[in-house]
Amino acid sequence: MKPSRRGFSSFRYALEGIVTSYKTQRHLRFHCVAAVIVIAAAIALSLPVRDIALLLLIIALVISLELVNTAIEAVVDLAAPEWHRLGKIAKDAAAGAVLVAAVFAIAIGVLIFYEPVMSWLGFR
């Protein structure tokens, strides 16, 4: 079965959304750099596959929420270029979702990396 052109277009548009967001959103770039560092550290410390999978999942969650936050901000700005209380609520809630995911990502990272880092430093 040959894939439809429409499917490729959808994929291309999704990639364009990611690339545009990466180019325009400082926080998304920060999360991507942090993700690369975390994965490199996980590999360097020979973490178990299960731990790396959990790290990949939480990284995907944070980056996905950052993309959704970007989309919500763009839609609010388009729909209401002037300040509006409801627009502020939408933007703040979307940013809050990213913050919650990022805080829990840090907590998960600390739990996963604590023992291997302490061993690497010679404290265990």
Side-chain angles (χ1 to χ4, degrees):
M1 174 187 253
K2 185 176 173 185
S4 70
R5 286 178 155 297
R6 194 168 124 190
F8 285 128
S9 293
S10 296
F11 184 75
R12 189 180 82 236
Y13 295 146
L15 286 177
E16 285 178 17
I18 294 168
V19 169
T20 299
S21 296
Y22 184 85
K23 288 179 179 178
T24 62
Q25 302 299 311
R26 183 179 82 239
H27 291 111
L28 180 59
R29 289 191 302 273
F30 172 81
H31 291 304
C32 289
V33 168
V36 169
I37 292 168
V38 166
I39 296 305
I43 292 168
L45 291 169
S46 300
L47 292 184
V49 172
R50 181 188 58 215
D51 289 351
I52 293 174
L54 181 58
L55 291 170
L56 290 172
L57 181 63
I58 196 71
I59 287 166
L61 176 67
V62 171
I63 290 173
S64 295
L65 284 172
E66 192 66 62
L67 291 166
V68 170
N69 180 46
T70 299
I72 289 171
E73 287 182 357
V75 169
V76 168
D77 290 346
L78 178 65
E82 68 287 342
W83 185 90
H84 192 281
R85 183 181 65 81
L86 294 176
K88 179 180 179 352
I89 291 170
K91 286 181 167 188
D92 290 352
V98 177
L99 179 61
V100 168
V103 167
F104 278 91
I106 291 167
I108 289 169
V110 168
L111 291 171
I112 289 174
F113 279 102
Y114 181 78
E115 287 288 331
V117 168
M118 288 296 118
S119 293
W120 181 74
L121 292 172
F123 293 119
R124 294 209 173 237

